[in-house]
Amino acid sequence: MNDLEQYRIGLTGYCYRMLGAATEAEDAVQETFLRAWRKQDQRQGQLKSWLYAIATNVCLDMLRSAQRRVIAMDVAEPSRAGTEFPAPLPESSWIQPIPDARVLDPANVVAERETIRLAFVAALQYLPPKQRAVLILREVLVWKADEVAELLDTSVASVNSALQRARATMATRPSAKPLDEDQQQLIERYMQAFTRYDLDTLVTLLHEDATSTMPPFTWWMRGRDELMAALRGAGSEAICQISTFAPAGFANGAPVYGQYLEGKPFSLQVFEVSGGLITNTTTYLQAGHLFPLFGLPVDEFSDAQSS
């Protein structure tokens, strides 16, 4: 069934929003294709609707035994500069980043980016799985109520009720900030100042209410002053000066970079930008296994490669 491949990006985006993890989303799509191949003689209706019905069942099966994935703001109060890191949570606890190219239609990248922002995907995880599916299908993929009802084998009234409850829950969650046209240049200035340990420049690039998180730790900080105090802490200058950053396109609608320490993979950093200032950095530590997903080398990396 070679015609399945044309639906990979859309299905991966759907499964990612359902599951909150890039690796699990790609596994779900592979399982969807496998089930479709095995049951091709049982297909009814349009291929696209049939595939999404299979993918929905795959995701619901995966979610039965899974805990809700989160961002740090969901599970802890902000920390102060100098606070020790707590014990890390398992990787399965966290919303995982995903490259835009894996989940967004190239023709609608700008319009769709808001629906894969980390804050949006984290908010989706608060919904019961079937409400989550209804919201994604109706609000993100713009399916009609009767199409969703047929896919979920339920009534239009049930779909509309689930959508109303899902919207009410989503309205209580923090919203993602919009993209800024000059974000790439701004973040490159931030990188240059960071590796020079130029705190005078860094402070001018951060929003006064900027936040910073570091999965797998629940430790996170809010406020430019706290972030700068942390950067002034012992050992920060050395880490800055042995860091190299490699651009890796966009993840969850925001610029993503691989950070290397002395040429070795150290973290993935996702930046949120609004109004010409950096509003959030999410630094995924212990994320070397995700580097290939973003086209980043996992062996030695030099400054020459990043230029």
Side-chain angles (χ1 to χ4, degrees):
M1 297 183 71
N2 295 329
D3 49 349
L4 299 184
E5 196 62 31
Q6 63 182 304
Y7 297 105
R8 180 178 293 277
I9 290 177
L11 285 167
T12 304
Y14 176 58
C15 293
Y16 174 72
R17 295 177 182 98
M18 286 290 291
L19 302 170
T23 51
E24 290 185 0
E26 297 200 333
D27 288 346
V29 173
Q30 287 303 108
E31 178 63 19
T32 296
F33 286 172
L34 181 60
R35 293 188 190 184
W37 180 78
R38 287 174 175 169
K39 299 179 179 180
Q40 53 187 300
D41 58 340
Q42 302 174 28
R43 171 186 157 192
Q44 295 181 350
Q46 294 184 342
L47 176 58
K48 180 178 179 180
S49 299
W50 185 59
L51 288 174
Y52 274 85
I54 296 173
T56 299
N57 288 328
V58 170
C59 290
L60 293 178
D61 287 345
M62 293 174 71
L63 288 168
R64 284 194 178 97
S65 59
Q67 68 182 61
R68 175 171 55 85
R69 288 179 176 266
V70 298
I71 54 178
M73 291 80 161
D74 293 333
V75 293
E77 294 298 316
S79 303
R80 300 296 301 271
T83 303
E84 292 187 6
F85 281 15
L89 297 183
E91 185 185 37
S92 59
S93 303
W94 302 100
I95 296 293
Q96 196 181 77
I98 193 168
D100 284 15
R102 300 282 182 121
V103 294
L104 298 182
D105 180 350
N108 297 300
V109 166
V110 175
E112 293 183 4
R113 268 184 174 153
E114 292 304 314
T115 70
I116 59 161
R117 308 291 276 196
L118 290 170
F120 181 82
V121 175
L124 285 173
Q125 310 311 301
Y126 278 84
L127 301 176
K130 287 194 175 180
Q131 280 188 32
R132 197 181 308 174
V134 167
L135 183 78
I136 297 167
L137 290 165
R138 290 283 285 119
E139 302 273 280
V140 177
L141 302 181
V142 201
W143 285 37
K144 296 177 181 178
D146 59 341
E147 294 173 327
V148 177
E150 182 179 357
L151 182 147
L152 297 177
D153 193 22
T154 188
S155 66
V156 170
S158 294
V159 167
N160 290 336
S161 176
L163 179 60
Q164 185 175 13
R165 294 195 302 273
R167 283 172 172 168
T169 300
M170 292 291 283
T172 68
R173 307 304 307 163
S175 60
K177 294 182 172 57
L179 292 169
D180 185 277
E181 292 182 359
D182 297 325
Q183 61 182 339
Q184 204 72 37
Q185 183 178 2
L186 170 66
I187 293 168
E188 288 173 1
R189 288 170 57 205
Y190 177 91
M191 299 297 187
Q192 294 167 4
F194 184 92
T195 55
R196 295 195 309 266
Y197 196 60
D198 180 358
L199 301 187
D200 290 338
T201 297
L202 284 175
V203 74
T204 69
L205 304 178
L206 293 169
H207 191 278
E208 63 179 350
D209 293 322
T211 55
S212 177
T213 69
M214 292 187 175
F217 300 99
T218 56
W219 181 99
W220 69 281
M221 303 187 74
R222 173 184 284 137
R224 179 172 55 204
D225 292 344
E226 286 292 334
L227 294 176
M228 295 307 298
L231 281 171
R232 294 187 185 97
S236 294
E237 182 174 4
I239 290 176
C240 290
Q241 292 178 340
I242 63 172
S243 291
T244 304
F245 292 92
F250 285 81
N252 298 84
V256 59
Y257 286 74
Q259 182 184 7
Y260 295 79
L261 294 189
E262 296 184 322
K264 302 290 180 62
F266 180 70
S267 74
L268 279 174
Q269 294 199 16
V270 181
F271 293 84
E272 295 281 349
V273 176
S274 181
L277 294 171
I278 292 170
T279 56
N280 174 262
T281 60
T282 301
T283 302
Y284 290 91
L285 303 170
Q286 303 174 12
H289 63 291
L290 294 177
F291 274 43
L293 186 66
F294 290 88
L296 292 166
V298 295
D299 50 8
E300 293 288 334
F301 186 85
S302 67
D303 288 313
Q305 287 175 277
S306 65
S307 60

